[in-house]
Each structure stands twice: as structure tokens, then as C-alpha cells.
Amino acid sequence: NAGVTQTPKFQVLKTGQSMTLQCAQDMNHEYMSWYRQDPGMGLRLIHYSVGAGITDQGEVPNGYNVSRSTTEDFPLRLLSAAPSQTSVYFCASSAPGRYEQYFGPGTRLTVT
Amino acid sequence: TQLLEQSPQFLSIQEGENLTVYCNSSSVFSSLQWYRQEPGEGPVLLVTVVTGGEVKKLKRLTFQFGDARKDSSLHITAAQPGDTGLYLCKSGGSYIPTFGRGTSLIVHP
């Protein structure tokens, strides 16, 4: 099992550009989520999904879109990148009714 | 939204020392998890505590859950450089969990 994979590992964008961060898991987990991690701020939930076709907003959803067409994949889209979106992004998954989350290795995004 | 306060924010110690980090909330935890995050990687689960007063041990790490389920602590005995990382506590259910801001630990050889 690869667990949770994320691509790319690093990305630099210019203000106004759009891009998609990829996340995939091979554990057949229903629940998937996206976090951003900023210095001194901990992990903040952006969006989450409880299954294919179902998504909902987390704590900081503005500027981001998600979709969940399959159980395995949960991409995060930045519509028009802003410097405030410079951060490290983590995708995570967990099985229904389980507390533990499995995290991917992260994507470090810089917006100039 | 449940707020989690972690302390201390930073900790720099020598190999062999003991340390304790804390996670506190003003409201009751349904459950609490501790994660460790190494530089450049995602967090990895260390333990889940559910019952008030619960104590769990993982080699040199001891986790305690307060009787009132509003606080938790992580104690490391004889810290090693491999313990270096960011320690995060997390509360809540699976849908919208809350993370503390973490304790950044550096263990010097």
C-alpha cells in the first residue's frame, strides 16, 4: 500500500494563476480532507469529504474548490492564487468511525 | 469549535533529559489523539485516548488523559535526537477535527 500520496511536492505560482493539488489514497477510506499548515497556526481544515460525491467546507475554504468523483482521489483546486495561499498543504484520509488520520507527505506551495 | 492550547510552544533539550508537553481545552474532549510530525513530512499518529484517566505507554512515551477529559499530557523519558519533531494534539470526531498549534521539540545529541 502506498497510503496517501500527494503531487506535486513543491510548486511556485504567480498571483492569479490556478492549479490543482492532487491527492490519492489506496486504503479505501471514505473520509478525506485537506489542511493547510502555516507557522504558528497549526493545521487548519480547508475542505473535507465523507464519500464520493459528497464534500463540505472546513475552517478556511475561501479560494479553494474540491470534488470527489471517486473514493481514491480528492483534488484541491486553487482558483486564482494569492500570496496568502503560500503554505504547506496536507491531504489526509481515515476509515469511517475511526479516529486516526493518515496524512500524505505534503505540498509546499509558494505564491509570488 | 473546540480550541486546543498546547504548551510549551518550543522546547530545546539535551539527549537523556525528560520532558512533558500539554494539551488543554475549555470543553470536554470526545477523544484525543497525539501526532508527531517530522520536518518535511506529514503528521503520524502516536496514540488515541478516549477514557478519562487513561494512561498509555509507547516505549519511552507516556500519554495521560485527564479525568475530566479536558486535558492531556505527553511525557518523554530519556529523550533522543530521533524524538525531534512537532507534537500535535487533535480532538473531535472524524468530520471536523481540531488540532492544537503544536509543540516543537529539538533534542540535541
Side-chain angles (χ1 to χ4, degrees):
Chain A
N1 283 356
V4 180
T5 58
Q6 291 184 238
T7 56
K9 183 73 173 173
F10 301 96
Q11 182 71 49
V12 178
L13 290 178
K14 294 186 185 301
T15 296
Q17 287 185 317
S18 62
M19 79 159 295
T20 300
L21 307 185
Q22 301 292 343
C23 173
Q25 53 89 13
D26 60 0
M27 298 173 281
N28 202 33
H29 285 169
E30 295 285 336
Y31 178 82
M32 296 185 73
S33 53
W34 276 101
Y35 293 89
R36 59 178 290 172
Q37 186 174 39
D38 303 293
M41 296 296 294
L43 286 158
R44 292 183 291 170
L45 183 65
I46 304 172
H47 285 285
Y48 66 95
S49 169
V50 299
I54 306 170
T55 64
D56 208 343
Q57 296 180 352
E59 180 185 357
V60 288
N62 292 340
Y64 307 95
N65 271 359
V66 292
S67 60
R68 185 94 179 272
S69 56
T70 68
T71 299
E72 294 77 20
D73 300 298
F74 191 42
L76 177 72
R77 283 183 290 277
L78 279 70
L79 308 173
S80 177
S84 61
Q85 294 178 304
T86 293
S87 188
V88 182
Y89 291 85
F90 289 99
C91 178
S93 74
S94 63
R98 301 292 299 177
Y99 300 121
E100 56 267 30
Q101 288 181 279
Y102 296 85
F103 284 83
T107 294
R108 183 173 293 275
L109 175 68
T110 301
V111 183
T112 61
Chain B
T1 302
Q2 186 170 30
L3 296 177
L4 301 184
E5 297 288 338
Q6 286 192 247
S7 61
Q9 188 175 358
F10 300 101
L11 203 49
S12 179
I13 62 172
Q14 295 296 126
E15 182 175 2
E17 292 184 22
N18 301 331
L19 66 116
T20 303
V21 299
Y22 301 92
C23 178
N24 296 289
S25 173
S26 57
S27 50
V28 175
F29 296 116
S30 56
S31 67
L32 188 104
Q33 297 178 296
W34 285 95
Y35 289 79
R36 178 168 65 209
Q37 183 179 18
E38 298 186 13
E41 299 182 10
V44 175
L45 178 70
L46 295 173
V47 77
T48 298
V49 287
V50 178
T51 306
E54 186 174 4
V55 177
K56 284 191 174 180
K57 295 197 175 199
L58 184 65
K59 296 184 181 178
R60 294 176 293 100
L61 278 61
T62 301
F63 303 86
Q64 287 192 299
F65 201 18
D67 291 340
R69 291 162 56 209
K70 290 186 176 183
D71 58 276
S72 181
S73 64
L74 158 58
H75 181 79
I76 301 179
T77 303
Q80 299 177 359
D83 296 326
T84 291
L86 180 68
Y87 289 81
L88 295 158
C89 63
K90 187 195 99 173
S91 177
S94 297
Y95 288 4
I96 307 183
T98 301
F99 280 88
R101 296 186 178 187
T103 293
S104 181
L105 171 66
I106 297 175
V107 182
H108 301 278

PDB file of all heavy atoms in Angstrom, chain B residues 34-47:
ATOM      1  N   TRP B  34      -2.627  12.121  19.711  1.00  0.00           N
ATOM      2  CA  TRP B  34      -1.327  12.762  19.615  1.00  0.00           C
ATOM      3  C   TRP B  34      -0.656  12.306  18.326  1.00  0.00           C
ATOM      4  O   TRP B  34      -0.648  11.108  18.018  1.00  0.00           O
ATOM      5  CB  TRP B  34      -0.443  12.407  20.808  1.00  0.00           C
ATOM      6  CG  TRP B  34      -0.819  13.106  22.076  1.00  0.00           C
ATOM      7  CD1 TRP B  34      -1.625  12.639  23.071  1.00  0.00           C
ATOM      8  CD2 TRP B  34      -0.377  14.398  22.507  1.00  0.00           C
ATOM      9  NE1 TRP B  34      -1.718  13.556  24.087  1.00  0.00           N
ATOM     10  CE2 TRP B  34      -0.953  14.652  23.766  1.00  0.00           C
ATOM     11  CE3 TRP B  34       0.462  15.371  21.952  1.00  0.00           C
ATOM     12  CZ2 TRP B  34      -0.735  15.826  24.480  1.00  0.00           C
ATOM     13  CZ3 TRP B  34       0.691  16.538  22.665  1.00  0.00           C
ATOM     14  CH2 TRP B  34       0.100  16.759  23.915  1.00  0.00           C
ATOM     15  N   TYR B  35      -0.104  13.283  17.610  1.00  0.00           N
ATOM     16  CA  TYR B  35       0.636  13.010  16.378  1.00  0.00           C
ATOM     17  C   TYR B  35       2.045  13.588  16.516  1.00  0.00           C
ATOM     18  O   TYR B  35       2.269  14.576  17.225  1.00  0.00           O
ATOM     19  CB  TYR B  35      -0.032  13.687  15.171  1.00  0.00           C
ATOM     20  CG  TYR B  35      -1.343  13.086  14.736  1.00  0.00           C
ATOM     21  CD1 TYR B  35      -2.517  13.365  15.426  1.00  0.00           C
ATOM     22  CD2 TYR B  35      -1.409  12.258  13.609  1.00  0.00           C
ATOM     23  CE1 TYR B  35      -3.724  12.818  15.017  1.00  0.00           C
ATOM     24  CE2 TYR B  35      -2.615  11.717  13.187  1.00  0.00           C
ATOM     25  CZ  TYR B  35      -3.760  12.005  13.896  1.00  0.00           C
ATOM     26  OH  TYR B  35      -4.965  11.472  13.490  1.00  0.00           O
ATOM     27  N   ARG B  36       2.979  12.997  15.791  1.00  0.00           N
ATOM     28  CA  ARG B  36       4.315  13.571  15.657  1.00  0.00           C
ATOM     29  C   ARG B  36       4.569  13.850  14.179  1.00  0.00           C
ATOM     30  O   ARG B  36       4.286  13.006  13.316  1.00  0.00           O
ATOM     31  CB  ARG B  36       5.402  12.641  16.183  1.00  0.00           C
ATOM     32  CG  ARG B  36       6.827  13.216  16.000  1.00  0.00           C
ATOM     33  CD  ARG B  36       7.853  12.428  16.767  1.00  0.00           C
ATOM     34  NE  ARG B  36       7.984  11.086  16.268  1.00  0.00           N
ATOM     35  CZ  ARG B  36       8.342  10.053  17.018  1.00  0.00           C
ATOM     36  NH1 ARG B  36       8.588  10.221  18.307  1.00  0.00           N
ATOM     37  NH2 ARG B  36       8.456   8.858  16.483  1.00  0.00           N
ATOM     38  N   GLN B  37       5.106  15.028  13.920  1.00  0.00           N
ATOM     39  CA  GLN B  37       5.410  15.425  12.552  1.00  0.00           C
ATOM     40  C   GLN B  37       6.896  15.733  12.453  1.00  0.00           C
ATOM     41  O   GLN B  37       7.382  16.643  13.132  1.00  0.00           O
ATOM     42  CB  GLN B  37       4.579  16.654  12.157  1.00  0.00           C
ATOM     43  CG  GLN B  37       4.784  17.083  10.717  1.00  0.00           C
ATOM     44  CD  GLN B  37       3.926  18.281  10.355  1.00  0.00           C
ATOM     45  OE1 GLN B  37       3.429  19.000  11.222  1.00  0.00           O
ATOM     46  NE2 GLN B  37       3.738  18.509   9.071  1.00  0.00           N
ATOM     47  N   GLU B  38       7.584  15.019  11.610  1.00  0.00           N
ATOM     48  CA  GLU B  38       8.997  15.274  11.372  1.00  0.00           C
ATOM     49  C   GLU B  38       9.136  16.277  10.230  1.00  0.00           C
ATOM     50  O   GLU B  38       8.234  16.395   9.387  1.00  0.00           O
ATOM     51  CB  GLU B  38       9.722  13.969  11.071  1.00  0.00           C
ATOM     52  CG  GLU B  38       9.658  12.998  12.243  1.00  0.00           C
ATOM     53  CD  GLU B  38      10.485  11.752  12.029  1.00  0.00           C
ATOM     54  OE1 GLU B  38      11.302  11.726  11.088  1.00  0.00           O
ATOM     55  OE2 GLU B  38      10.315  10.803  12.803  1.00  0.00           O
ATOM     56  N   PRO B  39      10.230  17.018  10.203  1.00  0.00           N
ATOM     57  CA  PRO B  39      10.399  18.056   9.173  1.00  0.00           C
ATOM     58  C   PRO B  39      10.215  17.509   7.756  1.00  0.00           C
ATOM     59  O   PRO B  39      10.775  16.474   7.405  1.00  0.00           O
ATOM     60  CB  PRO B  39      11.842  18.524   9.403  1.00  0.00           C
ATOM     61  CG  PRO B  39      12.098  18.248  10.844  1.00  0.00           C
ATOM     62  CD  PRO B  39      11.352  16.983  11.153  1.00  0.00           C
ATOM     63  N   GLY B  40       9.400  18.196   6.964  1.00  0.00           N
ATOM     64  CA  GLY B  40       9.189  17.808   5.575  1.00  0.00           C
ATOM     65  C   GLY B  40       8.230  16.649   5.368  1.00  0.00           C
ATOM     66  O   GLY B  40       8.094  16.162   4.245  1.00  0.00           O
ATOM     67  N   GLU B  41       7.574  16.210   6.430  1.00  0.00           N
ATOM     68  CA  GLU B  41       6.657  15.087   6.313  1.00  0.00           C
ATOM     69  C   GLU B  41       5.297  15.422   6.921  1.00  0.00           C
ATOM     70  O   GLU B  41       5.133  16.430   7.593  1.00  0.00           O
ATOM     71  CB  GLU B  41       7.250  13.853   7.004  1.00  0.00           C
ATOM     72  CG  GLU B  41       8.565  13.392   6.394  1.00  0.00           C
ATOM     73  CD  GLU B  41       9.094  12.143   7.057  1.00  0.00           C
ATOM     74  OE1 GLU B  41       8.369  11.532   7.857  1.00  0.00           O
ATOM     75  OE2 GLU B  41      10.251  11.787   6.755  1.00  0.00           O
ATOM     76  N   GLY B  42       4.330  14.536   6.676  1.00  0.00           N
ATOM     77  CA  GLY B  42       3.026  14.710   7.287  1.00  0.00           C
ATOM     78  C   GLY B  42       2.984  14.141   8.691  1.00  0.00           C
ATOM     79  O   GLY B  42       3.834  13.334   9.071  1.00  0.00           O
ATOM     80  N   PRO B  43       2.001  14.560   9.496  1.00  0.00           N
ATOM     81  CA  PRO B  43       1.866  14.024  10.853  1.00  0.00           C
ATOM     82  C   PRO B  43       1.592  12.521  10.838  1.00  0.00           C
ATOM     83  O   PRO B  43       0.926  12.008   9.943  1.00  0.00           O
ATOM     84  CB  PRO B  43       0.660  14.789  11.419  1.00  0.00           C
ATOM     85  CG  PRO B  43       0.544  16.013  10.573  1.00  0.00           C
ATOM     86  CD  PRO B  43       0.999  15.598   9.215  1.00  0.00           C
ATOM     87  N   VAL B  44       2.102  11.864  11.864  1.00  0.00           N
ATOM     88  CA  VAL B  44       1.896  10.430  12.025  1.00  0.00           C
ATOM     89  C   VAL B  44       1.299  10.192  13.406  1.00  0.00           C
ATOM     90  O   VAL B  44       1.784  10.719  14.404  1.00  0.00           O
ATOM     91  CB  VAL B  44       3.219   9.649  11.882  1.00  0.00           C
ATOM     92  CG1 VAL B  44       3.003   8.163  12.166  1.00  0.00           C
ATOM     93  CG2 VAL B  44       3.798   9.831  10.490  1.00  0.00           C
ATOM     94  N   LEU B  45       0.242   9.388  13.450  1.00  0.00           N
ATOM     95  CA  LEU B  45      -0.447   9.131  14.707  1.00  0.00           C
ATOM     96  C   LEU B  45       0.441   8.365  15.686  1.00  0.00           C
ATOM     97  O   LEU B  45       1.072   7.373  15.324  1.00  0.00           O
ATOM     98  CB  LEU B  45      -1.716   8.315  14.450  1.00  0.00           C
ATOM     99  CG  LEU B  45      -2.519   7.944  15.696  1.00  0.00           C
ATOM    100  CD1 LEU B  45      -3.181   9.186  16.286  1.00  0.00           C
ATOM    101  CD2 LEU B  45      -3.560   6.878  15.366  1.00  0.00           C
ATOM    102  N   LEU B  46       0.473   8.859  16.943  1.00  0.00           N
ATOM    103  CA  LEU B  46       1.164   8.145  18.015  1.00  0.00           C
ATOM    104  C   LEU B  46       0.181   7.349  18.860  1.00  0.00           C
ATOM    105  O   LEU B  46       0.407   6.168  19.149  1.00  0.00           O
ATOM    106  CB  LEU B  46       1.917   9.140  18.917  1.00  0.00           C
ATOM    107  CG  LEU B  46       3.056   9.919  18.273  1.00  0.00           C
ATOM    108  CD1 LEU B  46       3.580  10.979  19.229  1.00  0.00           C
ATOM    109  CD2 LEU B  46       4.170   8.974  17.846  1.00  0.00           C
ATOM    110  N   VAL B  47      -0.914   8.004  19.280  1.00  0.00           N
ATOM    111  CA  VAL B  47      -1.840   7.338  20.184  1.00  0.00           C
ATOM    112  C   VAL B  47      -3.202   8.011  20.149  1.00  0.00           C
ATOM    113  O   VAL B  47      -3.299   9.187  19.785  1.00  0.00           O
ATOM    114  CB  VAL B  47      -1.280   7.376  21.626  1.00  0.00           C
ATOM    115  CG1 VAL B  47      -1.487   8.756  22.254  1.00  0.00           C
ATOM    116  CG2 VAL B  47      -1.889   6.302  22.508  1.00  0.00           C
TER     117      VAL B  47
END
